[in-house]
Amino acid sequence: MKKRNRYLELEPGDLLHARKLAARIVASAKKEFGAERVALYLLNPNYGDLEMEASLGVAATVRQKRLVPGQGLAGWVASRGISARADLQKSNWGLGAGGSEMAAPISEGENLMGVLVVGTRRKNFFSEGQESQLQEMALEAARWLGLAWKVAGTSEESRRSAALAEVGAAIGAEETPEAILNRVARESARLSGAKLASIFLLDPKKKELFLEVCLGGSSAYRKQPPLEISDTALGYVVRRGRPISVRDVGSSPQDPHSDRIQKEGLVSVLAVPLVEKKEGIGVLCVATAETRRFPDAEIRLLEGLAGLAAAALGRSRLSGRLDRTEGELRNRERLSSLGMLAAEVAHEVRNPLAVIRMLWHTALRGLQPSEAQAKDLNLIEAKLAQMNGILDRVLNLARSADPEIGAVDGTDLMEEVFLLTRTKLSAARIQVTKKVPPRGKAMIRGDRPQLEQAVLNLVLNAVEAMPKGGELKLGVQPREQNVFLTVQDSGRGMPKEITERLYEPFLSRRPGGTGLGMALVRRTVEAHGGALRVDSQTERGTRVEIRLPSWPSHRG
Ligand code: ADP
Ligand code: MG
């Protein structure tokens, strides 16, 4: 049986850097074949040509040249998908002048990724056996490069989710709207690699856009006069509530903002609307120094950030006359928009992550790592598992809030939660008292798994609030057309400011907390048409009560 990784000498960490991996492949090839020049070309899918990703012993002029398929030995191999050997008479066929070279396609199945080329000054140097060795090496390279790209794509996506979560948390932490707008601009610039990020707001008459926040612009840009919303690209973004991306502002017909961007020496622009209550109130705009396209995922991310900015502005406008219900509404809105967005991102990351974890295990089978390498490998493995865990939690929060309604026995449910937590409870030296009616007496109209999760979250919070042990009271009580579920602890309690903001996602006061637990409880209870009440006193304890509608046949 063939051993895996026969040719490539890799470090596990190489998988995290596609560039390094390419360099390592080149070095392995040089050593294996005693070659004087080696290059790894990658196919650029946007242009269909070959670019040199890594090389050894190759002149700069050759390194910088892009090859179209068919051109040179590498191009010949790329266009036919098979390996080749050649004696070089004329220089521009290979990596250097004269001597001999051979090349093999780097591909997975039909999918061509690039070409691996080795060469020497000597004529007629490579044998047929060596050519097939090169082929195998190229196959190994394809497997590893494919894996490295998947890892890179996934960590990119996780960076995006993390940025959203961060800005979400900042808003939860009640920063000022100015601070939030600045943060949104900063994150947008960072995530899109932009030189400039700006936010324009619509004036009350809805005629002009004023520059409100600007990062990275010259003073001329910062002092720019307002933009009319009719007949301008940014105006269109606000009026229609749609993003616009421009690959090259130089080629766009007369537009005042494009002109200003061009004067900044920038080329590509993406602009997304700030939308509040379905109405455009401003524009978030980023511009890059290099020509680039903005992929859908990135546009959606920026829309998400713009949504958070709009929420912050909406809130500041309301502040002062915010009564309780408005506050709750706002909270719910934020939760659903952020939740939906997070779910979308999480969804997209999850599948590639599953593939990576699978490939990762297959790839490892052939390796015989040193002790230090094994440590690295374990670390990567743990990180992959951690990412998976985060995604699970995000998806759990965002999963459709529509409950699957049935008759749920409240007593049963409480017993089940107790069973799930009893070891944890006794280990934490917590005494439990249950006050529940006989089975069948407290029937709830609801979704069993969702409700169980909600009560479980409450019990876990109670446990965390009693690090030195204490008392936990679990109660179930049918009353009129409702069933009341209560979880009461004798723990540290919380100050009023926290009780008021308990349901905000990302609000957590403990290390390792996600701050999503109570947000989820709230969401479940609301989807059931119930109500949630929290009474808490610092150092005394907390009592959480969930009111749920009873199952119809049990109503008096
Ligand atoms: P997390 O548990 O991840 O921190 P939660 O939304 O479940 O997120 O809770 C948010 C915060 O509310 C907790 O960090 C804690 O400070 C506070 N909290 C929740 N439940 C209790 C409780 N029973 N007693 C004291 N504090 C609590
Ligand atoms: Mg919790």
Side-chain angles (χ1 to χ4, degrees):
M1 214 178 89
K2 235 186 278 164
K3 234 179 86 192
R4 277 165 186 282
N5 252 42
R6 241 170 83 183
Y7 298 105
L8 299 181
E9 288 175 19
L10 300 178
E11 298 286 333
D14 296 347
L15 214 44
L16 300 179
H17 307 278
R19 264 259 152 78
K20 252 198 213 159
L21 183 61
R24 195 82 77 174
I25 292 167
V26 164
S28 300
K30 185 167 165 51
K31 193 166 152 201
E32 177 76 28
F33 298 106
E36 285 130 24
R37 43 192 197 238
V38 184
L40 192 156
Y41 284 95
L42 290 180
L43 184 71
N44 181 331
N46 290 331
Y47 302 104
D49 58 3
L50 294 166
E51 291 170 44
M52 206 179 285
E53 176 78 5
S55 67
L56 283 170
V58 179
T61 47
V62 181
R63 281 205 304 270
Q64 277 147 19
K65 217 169 96 188
R66 294 158 164 271
L67 296 178
V68 295
Q71 197 179 11
L73 184 63
W76 192 92
V77 165
S79 62
R80 295 194 176 47
I82 51 173
S83 64
R85 273 175 294 150
D87 247 15
L88 302 172
Q89 317 293 339
K90 305 237 167 56
S91 62
N92 62 3
W93 244 69
L95 301 175
S100 48
E101 290 187 2
M102 58 178 182
I106 299 176
S107 53
E108 274 189 320
E110 295 279 272
N111 180 17
L112 181 79
M113 302 154 107
V115 178
L116 184 58
V117 189
V118 300
T120 167
R121 267 191 307 265
R122 285 157 286 189
K123 289 194 176 201
N124 272 324
F125 181 70
F126 298 112
S127 67
E128 202 179 323
Q130 281 178 310
E131 187 182 323
S132 57
Q133 264 184 348
L134 184 70
Q135 269 175 25
E136 285 191 39
M137 186 182 258
L139 280 180
E140 261 175 34
R143 236 184 31 233
W144 286 96
L145 280 169
L147 197 51
W149 287 334
K150 289 204 181 82
V151 170
T154 308
S155 62
E156 178 69 16
E157 289 286 354
S158 344
R159 261 187 32 217
R160 290 189 178 133
S161 333
L164 270 180
E166 224 171 82
V167 181
I171 292 177
E174 211 81 43
E175 280 185 20
T176 61
E178 292 77 33
I180 291 168
L181 291 188
N182 265 303
R183 185 185 286 260
V184 164
R186 201 163 63 231
E187 293 295 333
S188 305
R190 185 169 70 86
L191 288 159
S192 55
K195 276 265 155 58
L196 178 144
S198 49
I199 297 178
F200 293 83
L201 295 180
L202 197 57
D203 71 324
K205 289 197 190 113
K206 307 194 174 164
K207 287 237 150 56
E208 291 175 327
L209 284 166
F210 287 84
L211 182 66
E212 179 76 22
V213 172
C214 173
L215 294 181
S218 70
S219 78
Y221 184 89
R222 267 183 272 127
K223 285 187 202 133
Q224 65 178 279
L227 286 162
E228 295 275 337
I229 78 158
S230 50
D231 300 330
T232 60
L234 294 192
Y236 173 90
V237 173
V238 182
R239 278 180 297 146
R240 302 296 303 273
R242 296 250 179 82
I244 285 187
S245 69
V246 181
R247 210 171 125 76
D248 182 357
V249 282
S251 65
S252 75
Q254 292 298 303
D255 176 76
H257 187 252
S258 293
D259 290 346
R260 289 169 200 169
I261 289 289
Q262 210 176 358
K263 289 208 182 93
E264 299 290 300
L266 302 174
V267 193
S268 299
V269 176
L270 170 63
V272 300
L274 266 60
V275 181
E276 195 202 357
K277 298 202 182 91
K278 302 209 171 121
E279 235 186 273
I281 58 165
V283 184
L284 165 65
C285 185
V286 293
T288 63
E290 290 95 45
T291 316
R292 60 161 299 192
R293 228 173 282 153
F294 297 91
D296 279 352
E298 198 170 325
I299 297 177
R300 280 206 308 276
L301 174 74
L302 252 64
E303 284 180 317
L305 286 167
L308 292 172
L313 286 169
R315 190 174 59 174
S316 77
R317 224 167 275 159
L318 287 173
S319 70
R321 56 185 183 83
L322 248 192
D323 66 26
R324 213 178 135 77
T325 38
E326 267 177 333
E328 278 167 14
L329 262 177
R330 179 199 78 207
N331 226 333
R332 199 179 325 172
E333 250 175 44
R334 186 195 309 154
L335 181 58
S336 57
S337 62
L338 190 63
M340 265 156 45
L341 194 77
E344 210 175 309
V345 179
H347 233 66
E348 271 172 41
V349 186
R350 211 170 141 94
N351 293 333
L353 186 61
V355 176
I356 289 172
R357 293 183 82 196
M358 212 179 66
L359 292 177
W360 173 250
H361 289 287
T362 329
L364 284 189
R365 246 179 268 148
L367 284 184
Q368 284 165 336
S370 69
E371 205 172 304
Q373 289 173 333
K375 233 180 180 173
D376 278 358
L377 287 172
N378 285 337
L379 190 68
I380 294 174
E381 168 108 49
K383 289 280 167 217
L384 289 175
Q386 189 187 5
M387 264 151 88
N388 210 39
I390 293 174
L391 295 182
D392 274 348
R393 286 207 296 277
V394 173
L395 282 172
N396 218 350
L397 171 75
R399 197 159 290 149
S400 153
D402 292 341
E404 275 180 44
I405 297 295
V408 179
D409 188 325
T411 301
D412 239 19
L413 181 140
M414 201 53 101
E415 292 289 355
E416 177 79 23
V417 172
F418 172 64
L419 270 179
L420 284 171
T421 48
R422 67 173 192 283
T423 357
K424 199 176 169 77
L425 289 166
S426 70
R429 286 180 294 131
I430 293 170
Q431 195 121 41
V432 182
T433 332
K434 278 178 285 177
K435 209 171 148 193
V436 300
R439 290 212 154 78
K441 290 289 183 207
M443 300 305 286
I444 302 165
R445 188 176 178 283
D447 177 308
R448 168 84 194 235
Q450 278 192 13
L451 290 176
E452 209 173 278
Q453 182 64 42
V455 177
L456 184 67
N457 284 354
L458 297 182
V459 172
L460 293 177
N461 280 351
V463 174
E464 275 143 20
M466 300 185 283
K468 295 191 192 109
E471 229 183 300
L472 179 71
K473 288 186 185 150
L474 303 177
V476 178
Q477 198 187 19
R479 211 189 312 148
E480 289 163 10
Q481 304 192 343
N482 298 301
V483 173
F484 291 80
L485 304 175
T486 49
V487 175
Q488 183 172 358
D489 65 60
S490 61
R492 65 167 79 92
M494 45 194 146
K496 196 156 165 280
E497 310 92 78
I498 298 295
T499 335
E500 277 168 1
R501 300 175 42 209
L502 193 56
Y503 312 112
E504 292 186 11
F506 308 115
L507 177 117
S508 175
R509 291 167 73 227
R510 61 184 183 86
T514 59
L516 295 177
M518 289 305 291
L520 190 71
V521 171
R522 160 64 153 265
R523 199 174 176 144
T524 300
V525 171
E526 275 179 358
H528 279 75
L532 188 59
R533 218 185 113 169
V534 179
D535 296 297
S536 189
Q537 273 186 307
T538 27
E539 302 313 324
R540 282 274 182 77
T542 305
R543 181 177 185 276
V544 185
E545 177 190 89
I546 299 178
R547 173 172 65 75
L548 293 163
S550 49
W551 183 247
S553 65
H554 280 248
R555 290 182 174 177

